[in-house]
């Protein structure tokens, strides 16, 4: 079973700054079956990135994903007010259950 | 427009049972695998269970295996999660999630708003 770790646990930044979030898998995630979600308080998660680097429909281009194998990155080029939230990575390799990472909280510095 | 509406949450005593439902609309329900994901208060996301489009394949997290049963009624466009032998650690918001592709192995674009299950005496 693949285990995901995310770092840092909390990222304190200002609006307009660049955010770099990391997700590491305990074993290789084949075909880059790795997704990223953003969750605001009181809301369901929203899909941002799938296939490690493909932006979901309606997601602005300030969000980008990269990586392969065991190391993946979500980059937000310029933080907007709505981006201060919690971000989760998820692997969907092989068959369920699919692991989520523990999350990275991006808060206002 | 895809809509997923969960119901059936509430307060239940430890050891009790509860059945969650998810009413789906806006897509051909019988073409897609479906999933349940939960989130304990103030905690992260935890994958719970999945079911294939025709109900022939089911999958469970180790934490719920043997206690929870996922099922679906494609004639009613409804997904279910039967939960038994409930524990305090099952307290969470339970989300109904649609597979983005027809297979079970996929990412999650569509989520319901969730239903809260509280296990407490």
């Amino acid at each position: 079973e693949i285990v995901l770790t995310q770092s840092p646990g909390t990222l304190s930044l200002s609006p307009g700054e660049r955010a770099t979030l990391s997700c590491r898998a305990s074993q290789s995630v084949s075909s880059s079956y790795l997704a990223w979600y953003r969750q605001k308080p009181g809301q369901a998660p929203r899909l941002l990135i799938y296939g490690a680097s493909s932006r979901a429909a309606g997601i602005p281009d300030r969000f980008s994903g990269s990586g392969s194998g065991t190391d993946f990155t979500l980059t937000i080029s310029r933080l907007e007010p709505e981006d201060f939230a919690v971000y989760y990575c998820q692997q969907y390799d092989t068959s369920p259950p699919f692991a989520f990472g523990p999350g990275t909280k991006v808060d206002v510095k | 427009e895809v809509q997923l509406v969960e119901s059936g949450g509430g307060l239940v005593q430890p050891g009790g049972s509860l059945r969650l439902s998810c009413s789906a609309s806006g897509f051909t329900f019988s073409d897609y695998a479906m999933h349940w994901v939960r989130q304990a208060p103030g905690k992260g996301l935890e994958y719970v269970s999945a079911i294939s489009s025709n109900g022939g394949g089911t999958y469970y997290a180790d934490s719920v295996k043997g206690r929870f049963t996922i099922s679906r009624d494609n004639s009613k466009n409804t997904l279910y999660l039967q939960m038994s032998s409930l524990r305090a650690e099952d307290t969470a918001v339970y989300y109904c999630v649609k597979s983005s592709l027809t297979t079970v192995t996929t990412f999650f674009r569509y989520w319901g708003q969730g239903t809260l299950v509280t296990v407490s005496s």
Side-chain angles (χ1 to χ4, degrees):
Chain A
E1 185 176 324
I2 297 176
V3 176
L4 300 178
T5 56
Q6 291 185 243
S7 61
T10 301
L11 195 53
S12 297
L13 295 168
S14 300
E17 287 194 297
R18 181 185 189 91
T20 303
L21 288 66
S22 174
C23 177
R24 178 163 290 177
S26 59
Q27 56 188 275
S28 183
V29 177
S30 61
S31 303
S32 295
Y33 285 160
L34 193 286
W36 289 93
Y37 303 85
R38 179 181 70 185
Q39 187 179 33
K40 300 177 186 179
Q43 296 186 14
R46 181 178 183 182
L47 176 69
L48 301 173
I49 300 287
Y50 63 93
S53 61
S54 298
R55 263 190 310 276
I59 300 302
D61 61 6
R62 66 179 182 272
F63 291 93
S64 62
S66 63
S68 64
T70 60
D71 291 298
F72 299 88
T73 300
L74 174 70
T75 301
I76 311 170
S77 59
R78 296 172 309 279
L79 285 166
E80 297 287 339
E82 62 268 28
D83 298 334
F84 292 94
V86 180
Y87 293 81
Y88 296 96
C89 58
Q90 181 220 1
Q91 66 83 15
Y92 48 101
D93 195 1
T94 61
S95 59
F98 300 134
F100 287 93
T104 290
K105 182 178 182 180
V106 178
D107 66 12
V108 180
K109 186 174 182 181
Chain B
E1 178 192 3
V2 172
Q3 287 199 325
L4 302 168
V5 180
E6 303 95 337
S7 60
L11 176 64
V12 61
Q13 292 189 338
S17 298
L18 207 59
R19 188 177 82 159
L20 305 184
S21 300
C22 171
S23 177
S25 61
F27 65 101
T28 304
F29 183 72
S30 59
D31 282 351
Y32 292 88
M34 297 293 294
H35 310 255
W36 289 98
V37 174
R38 70 183 181 183
Q39 186 170 35
K43 303 297 184 182
L45 301 171
E46 181 186 13
Y47 190 90
V48 175
S49 184
I51 187 167
S52 63
S53 58
N54 65 3
T58 57
Y59 309 82
Y60 299 94
D62 287 344
S63 58
V64 307
K65 200 173 294 182
R67 300 187 300 120
F68 289 12
T69 302
I70 191 171
S71 62
R72 64 191 297 161
D73 186 336
N74 285 347
S75 68
K76 295 182 178 179
N77 292 346
T78 302
L79 174 72
Y80 302 101
L81 186 67
Q82 178 68 48
M83 305 184 294
S84 61
S85 302
L86 283 162
R87 308 165 180 167
E89 54 264 35
D90 295 319
T91 295
V93 172
Y94 285 73
Y95 293 103
C96 168
V97 187
K98 171 186 172 293
S99 276
S100 298
L101 303 173
T102 56
T103 65
V104 171
T105 304
T106 181
F107 49 92
F108 303 147
R109 174 171 171 79
Y110 294 103
W111 299 62
Q113 280 306 300
T115 187
L116 176 62
V117 173
T118 303
V119 184
S120 175
S121 55

